[in-house]
Every structure is written in C-alpha cells, then in structure tokens.
Amino acid sequence: MPKKRRSKAFWKNFKFKYKLTIVNENTLEEIVGLRVSKLNGLSVLLCVLAVLFLIAACIITFTPLRNYLPGYMNSEVRSQIVGNALRVDSLQAVLNRQNLYIMNIQDIFSGKVPIDSVQTLDSLTAVREDTLMERTKREEEFRRQYEENEKYNLTSITSQPDVTGLILYRPTRGMVSGHFNAEKKHFGTDIAANPNESVLATMDGTVILSTYTAETGYLIGVQHNQDLISIYKHCGSLLKKEGERVKGGEAIALVGNSGTLSTGPHLHFELWYKGHPVNPEKYIVF
C-alpha cells in the first residue's frame, strides 16, 4: 500500500498543473494565462528535440556535409580516386618504357648490344637490356641446370590475383607506417590512423572471421570473390559479425590499438590470394 500511495503521489505531482499568467502592472488585468504541468513541459521538450534531430538529419542527407562523415564517400569522389590511380599507373608505365629505351640506346652506342639484335626501335621500349645481349656459355649452362631442377617444383609457382575491372577501396585514412615484407613474416601493410577512424571493407564480400586474440586484438576477415581474403587487425571495435554480407567501402570496424603486438593506433591490413599473402600496395592506393 505505501508503494502505491507513493506512486500515485508521484504521478499526481507530475501531472499537477501550474498556472502562468501575465498581468498588467497598472490595471492588474490578466492578459495571458497558461496552465502547464511537468508532463506537458517534458512532452514539449521531446518534440523540440525530435524536430531538431530531423532538421539535422535532412541537412546532412541532402547537403555536401555528408561527405565529412566517417566512412562515407560519394560516387564522384570514388570515380575521381579510381581515375587518378589509373592515370598514375599509366604514367608509371610510360616512364618505365622511356627508361628502358634510353638504357638500350646507351648500350647500343657503347657496343654492349649488337645492332643486328635490334629489329625495330619500338622494341627497345618493351625489351630489357639482358634479353638483347648474347648469352655466354656459362650462363646457358646455368639456365639449363636451373630450369631442369625447377621443372617439377610446384612451390616455385607464384600466383598473383587478377584485379582487372575490380575496385579495391582503401581500408582507412592514414599514413603507411609499415610495408609488406614476407621474409620478416610481416604479411600486410600498417596504416597509422586516428583512433576510432572507420575501417572500410576493401570489396564486397562475406565476413568469415570476427573475433579477438591476445596478439592481434580485435580482428575481422572478409571473403571476397576471385579467391581474395582481406584481414583487418588491431581494431578498436568490430561493427560486423561472422556471416554478414558487406559492401565495398562499408564500415566494418574502428581503428584502435588492441593486441600485444600493437604499438599505437593503426590498422594492420592483409590481402591473401589462394592461400598466399600478396602485397596490398600493388593493388590499392593508400
């Protein structure tokens, strides 16, 4: 009974109405009278907050301000990034061809390469120096022995993923602090980033791993098409669970500093193809 009485008293006090009046000081005439309660005041406050939230959501959704949200990138920016990456790759190819051409011309002038071995000048932009030079008997013998020994060695075959026509998103914004080095068992690229920066899926796929380990902290793995798997380690928190489908460029985790092997806020990103680690910097512009 005492609890019911206290509850009734609370609601009675909460619904109790107060009268707010504005009185003319000279005539003491009541100009405006308003009867309000605590419940009415709370309702008005919630309505005002809801309206402000809707206005802010509309501004962010329909204005360029949405581009400043973590993990969001419009189609125009994505196309510009892809176009710039293709232009850089084309310029690098042209520069390499020019370097080969100049190198081969210098070797022809110096007598290292016989003139008769050059069919056309255009071939100098695609043929390396050593292919134009005559092989010695010692080199021929070494090549023959090596090819014979490695003929049935399946481990010598190195496969590389075919990413023609694919768009690989940069997993997070930051600076590369550690490069891929298979000899030192560092099978990924380290990207120094701000804490809680969004970690994006590099391509469409399915989450196959979302867990925590003592050394790598929070990590998440995504299976993609073309036999590709991407791994994201040392995250601060995970946003996706195993079995969920994700889109390329979608936020799947947040940058952190978890795990005993981490020395600061960063993302360790790995890319695997058919069970072999590949250098992510060859396929993604960081």
Side-chain angles (χ1 to χ4, degrees):
M1 293 298 294
K3 292 183 178 180
K4 292 183 178 180
R5 291 179 180 176
R6 286 196 297 268
S7 178
K8 289 181 179 179
F10 172 78
W11 284 108
K12 184 177 181 181
N13 183 33
F14 197 66
K15 296 179 179 179
F16 184 80
K17 293 186 177 181
Y18 300 87
K19 184 177 182 180
L20 301 177
T21 60
I22 299 177
V23 180
N24 190 325
E25 184 179 2
N26 296 326
T27 63
L28 299 181
E29 179 184 359
E30 181 179 339
I31 299 176
V32 178
L34 181 63
R35 298 176 62 85
V36 296
S37 64
K38 296 179 180 178
L39 180 60
N40 294 338
L42 181 60
S43 301
V44 172
L45 179 61
L46 292 177
C47 291
V48 171
L49 293 177
V51 171
L52 293 177
F53 176 79
L54 290 176
I55 294 175
C58 292
I59 293 175
I60 294 176
T61 303
F62 300 105
T63 63
L65 290 176
R66 63 180 181 274
N67 295 329
Y68 294 96
L69 295 178
Y72 185 87
M73 187 183 299
N74 59 24
S75 58
E76 294 180 359
V77 176
R78 291 177 182 173
S79 60
Q80 290 177 1
I81 292 176
V82 174
N84 291 336
L86 294 176
R87 292 188 186 95
V88 171
D89 183 69
S90 300
L91 291 175
Q92 184 64 40
V94 172
L95 182 61
N96 292 337
R97 293 182 63 184
Q98 290 179 347
N99 290 336
L100 283 175
Y101 183 84
I102 295 173
M103 178 187 68
N104 291 328
I105 290 294
Q106 290 176 346
D107 290 335
I108 291 174
F109 288 154
S110 62
K112 294 181 180 180
V113 177
I115 299 178
D116 297 339
S117 63
V118 181
Q119 297 179 355
T120 61
L121 291 178
D122 293 337
S123 64
L124 297 179
T125 62
V127 182
R128 291 188 177 275
E129 171 189 14
D130 54 356
T131 60
L132 297 175
M133 295 182 181
E134 297 180 355
R135 298 179 182 177
T136 62
K137 293 182 178 180
R138 183 177 180 182
E139 182 182 359
E140 288 285 354
E141 182 65 21
F142 174 78
R143 285 176 178 268
R144 187 187 63 79
Q145 292 180 357
Y146 180 81
E147 291 174 356
E148 186 68 25
N149 294 334
E150 297 295 324
K151 182 184 298 183
Y152 303 104
N153 186 5
L154 298 180
T155 59
S156 63
I157 301 176
T158 57
S159 58
Q160 295 294 331
D162 182 12
V163 297
T164 304
L166 299 179
I167 298 178
L168 278 70
Y169 292 89
R170 181 177 59 178
T172 190
R173 292 183 296 181
M175 298 181 60
V176 175
S177 58
H179 300 280
F180 178 89
N181 192 332
E183 296 180 356
K184 296 182 179 181
K185 305 299 181 182
H186 190 260
F187 299 118
T189 301
D190 291 333
I191 307 172
N194 295 325
N196 296 325
E197 184 73 31
S198 296
V199 176
L200 311 180
T202 189
M203 286 195 307
D204 297 354
T206 303
V207 178
I208 59 174
L209 184 64
S210 181
T211 185
Y212 178 88
T213 64
E215 293 183 348
T216 61
Y218 289 102
L219 67 94
I220 186 169
V222 181
Q223 173 72 61
H224 311 284
N225 295 330
Q226 289 78 32
D227 297 317
L228 284 170
I229 295 178
S230 58
I231 305 294
Y232 314 78
K233 297 181 179 180
H234 305 301
C235 299
S237 60
L238 306 178
L239 305 180
K240 299 294 181 180
K241 297 181 180 179
E242 296 176 0
E244 293 189 44
R245 290 284 302 174
V246 296
K247 294 288 186 181
E250 181 179 358
I252 59 176
L254 300 177
V255 174
N257 185 25
S258 60
T260 57
L261 297 180
S262 178
T263 58
H266 77 289
L267 173 68
H268 177 84
F269 175 72
E270 297 180 2
L271 198 61
W272 293 72
Y273 176 68
K274 293 184 177 180
H276 299 282
V278 295
N279 187 357
E281 296 181 55
K282 291 183 178 180
Y283 311 100
I284 302 176
V285 180
F286 290 95

